[in-house]
Structure formats: C-alpha cells, structure tokens
Amino acid sequence: MVSARPAVQQLPAYKPGRNPADLAREIGVAQAVKLASNEVAFPPLPAVVEALAGAAAETNRYPDNGAVVLTRALAERYGVDPAQVVTGCGAVMLCQQLAQSFNDPGTSIAFAWRSFEMYPLLAQVAGARSIQVPLVPGRPGGPADTHDLDALAAAVDDTTRVVFVCNPNNPTGTAVRRRELERFLDAVPAGTLVVLDEAYREFVTDPDVPDGLELMRGRPNVAVLRTFSKAWGLAGLRVGYLVAEDPAVADAVRRTHVPFSVSSLAQAAAVAALASEDEVRRRCAAVTAERERLTAALRERGLDVSDSQANFVWLPVGEQAAGLAAALEARAVITRPFAGEGVRVTVGTSEEDDAFLAALDQVRSATPVA
C-alpha cells in the first residue's frame, strides 16, 4: 500500500465557504447570502471582461511562463525592477513557494496566531516548525486585537527562516501601525526573511497603517505579498504577486514556480485591472464605507467588534462561534466560523449586510450571543 508522508496525512482538509445556491436549495429559500470568503460583491471590471474575451481566443496556447507583461506592469506601478517581482497562482501559492524556497526540516516559520490559516499548514508540509505567537488582546477579556510584534521578534531564533506578518490581519481585520512595524523590522535578524502579507492593503483607511512596499525599501530581508483576488475582483482567476527588495529572494521564489500556473486569462485580466485603478479605488471606498456602517450596527447590538482595515469584520464570540455560524446558515447567511474563537463576516452589499443583521437579530433573540 502506498502511503503519503505523515505530515501530509495529518493535514486538515481545507473547507471553502459553502456555495449559496446549494444552501438555498437545501433549506428551501429563493437565495442565500455568502459572506464567508472575503470576495468583493462588485462584478468583474468592464476592462477585465473585455480582456478575457480577447485572451480566450489564445487558450489553445500555453501562457507566458514568466508573465512578462504583468510583471513589467507591476514593476512600473511600484517603481521596482522586474527582477524583484514574482507572480503566482494566488497569494497562497506564493506562500507555499516561500516555504519551499527557504525552509528545510528543522527550520521554523514564525507568525501571529490567530492569523491566516494556511501558515501552519505550509510549515507542516515543508517539515518546518511553527512558531505561533498569540495576538495582543484588545483589552482584558476583550477580543483578540493584533500582532504582538515585540513577542514575535523575541520568538525568532536561529532556526527561523521566514516570518509572516499579515497586515491587515486575517481573520481579525486589525492592523499594526508604522512605528511598531518599523521597530520590528529593525529587530529581526538579517538572515530571516520577513514577508508582509498585504492581501487586504487596498481596504486600509488608517493613515498610520504603513504601505509595506515603502518599508521594504532598503531592507533586503523584507518582501511584500499581495493579490488580485480581493479588491481587484479576480478571485476566480487566481493571481497574486510578491515584491522583494532583494532580487535574490525573488529569484529563489521564482525557482519553485509551477510552470504555466498563472493562466493566460489571469495574466490578461490582471493587466486590465491595473489599468482600471481609478474604478478599483472607487469600489474600495464603497466597501470601506459599508464596513463602517456594518461595524456601527454590530456595536449598537452590543458586540465587541474591533476596527477593521480589511473587507470583513470579526465577531469575537469565542465558544459560540460554530453555533452562531450554523444558526446564521440556517437563515440563509453563510459566514466563516473559527471554532472556539470567532466568526468572520465579509462586507457585502448593503442588502446582503442587512440580511445578515436581520438573521443575527433572529439568532440573538432565540439564543443571546456574548
């Protein structure tokens, strides 16, 4: 009998958000609302649709393995050399490539916890040790707030090859500020790569939350990870990118790239999206305005919701998380529970969010939520 590696056998299966059409049929309603996967509610950008139509005629050919046009467009946008840019099949694939590029068995990957759920899985697959540093509580007995960067820096040891800092943090939506992050970057040893995971950067409205690309400059052990899946509306096409101060870091990640994994459709769509930045900014402004409305509505209901800098909010309901999410799902609203910790709710349209709030009120009237 052929057996997988023990580390692989022990991996939990990834559970994506439920399909709303399937849920609607299951519970016998006309439609369900999905607020589980941090997608934007807007349809694809018009320029993206046009670019996809054009690229479809070439899908009998392999895509450009180096994504040269997209890489140059990103390099120009951020004022870096193309050698500093790596594209990948979504940001999560680039996370995996980072682990493959820099971690051997016996090394470690450090990150805050709770944070992006893939970090410990990536370490496990690479045979590396996970160093998980608890988030700072917002206040005694309150919700988990954000990274404890002093503790994270102290946890880095001579085995640590990669540190992930998810900013804004997924799933709490909270973000670290400039002074703390600069102090942290200066404290990390030069031989440890710090990856600023900024998948939600476009939704940041706090001016004190720094742009990681600015902090990266002049720091050879810093790289920034971003994606087209969220603000740019390309979740179904899977394209992300890494920008590294040191081209050698980018080269190492590029060497673990799965050939042709960024499709020709994804490349064309991403280039078109970059050319539609003004519209993307307008859409992000609408999302953040709705985020503030949703946050205020939840606080009016007595929920201790932290300020979010992403396109989702975090309900720190602890042991009630799984039950709350199940009760909301029974009322045709799909959210993302983290058992024993909280529920993440994507900011949707005002109509979708109102449906969520109405369902939440029904649940709370039946079973109070802390």
Side-chain angles (χ1 to χ4, degrees), residues 41 48 60 65 80 100 165 171 178 207 254 293 298 321:
V48 165
N60 59 310
N65 191 50
V80 297
Q100 292 173 330
V165 178
R178 180 178 303 275
R254 202 175 289 113
R293 186 186 78 90
L298 290 167

Side-chain angles (χ1 to χ4, degrees), residues 33-45 203 229-235 279 283-284 286-288 290 311 346-353:
V33 173
K34 183 184 178 185
L35 301 175
S37 300
N38 299 343
E39 302 144 326
V40 291
F42 295 99
L45 294 156
F203 302 107
S229 294
K230 311 304 181 187
W232 302 88
L234 303 185
E279 175 59 22
R283 292 181 174 196
C284 288
V287 171
T288 56
E290 178 63 13
N311 70 330
T346 304
V347 176
T349 65
S350 58
E351 294 80 9
E352 290 173 333
D353 293 340

Side-chain angles (χ1 to χ4, degrees), residues 72-123:
R72 286 176 177 166
L74 289 166
E76 182 177 349
R77 183 175 193 268
Y78 295 119
V80 297
D81 191 278
Q84 296 174 255
V85 180
V86 188
T87 61
C89 185
V92 69
M93 176 62 78
L94 287 162
C95 287
Q96 180 173 312
Q97 290 176 237
L98 284 159
Q100 292 173 330
S101 300
F102 295 101
N103 285 97
D104 287 312
T107 64
S108 63
I109 298 176
F111 47 87
W113 198 252
R114 158 85 54 188
S115 192
F116 183 38
E117 60 192 303
M118 288 301 298
Y119 297 156
L121 304 184
L122 296 170

Side-chain angles (χ1 to χ4, degrees), residues 153-289:
V156 172
D157 59 29
D158 57 7
T159 72
T160 307
R161 298 293 178 266
V162 178
V163 180
F164 285 105
V165 178
C166 191
N167 198 42
N169 188 47
N170 179 12
T172 62
T174 51
V176 293
R177 272 57 181 178
R178 180 178 303 275
R179 181 180 300 177
E180 291 78 11
L181 188 53
E182 287 178 335
R183 185 173 67 241
F184 170 78
L185 294 176
D186 291 341
V188 173
T192 298
L193 177 66
V194 178
V195 180
L196 303 178
D197 186 344
E198 295 188 335
Y200 300 95
R201 170 65 202 175
E202 292 86 352
F203 302 107
V204 171
T205 55
D206 183 343
D208 201 29
V209 176
D211 182 329
L213 287 160
E214 295 177 4
L215 299 190
M216 176 197 76
R217 300 180 196 276
R219 293 183 167 94
N221 68 327
V222 176
V224 177
L225 186 65
R226 292 190 181 172
T227 182
F228 284 94
S229 294
K230 311 304 181 187
W232 302 88
L234 303 185
L237 289 171
R238 311 304 303 131
V239 55
Y241 57 97
L242 180 85
V243 183
E245 174 68 1
D246 185 353
V249 169
D251 179 66
V253 176
R254 202 175 289 113
R255 289 171 185 269
T256 60
H257 169 76
V258 176
F260 308 118
S261 58
V262 183
S263 73
S264 53
L265 295 174
Q267 292 181 38
V271 171
L274 286 173
S276 304
E277 185 170 359
D278 289 345
E279 175 59 22
V280 171
R281 289 183 183 275
R282 285 191 288 269
R283 292 181 174 196
C284 288
V287 171
T288 56

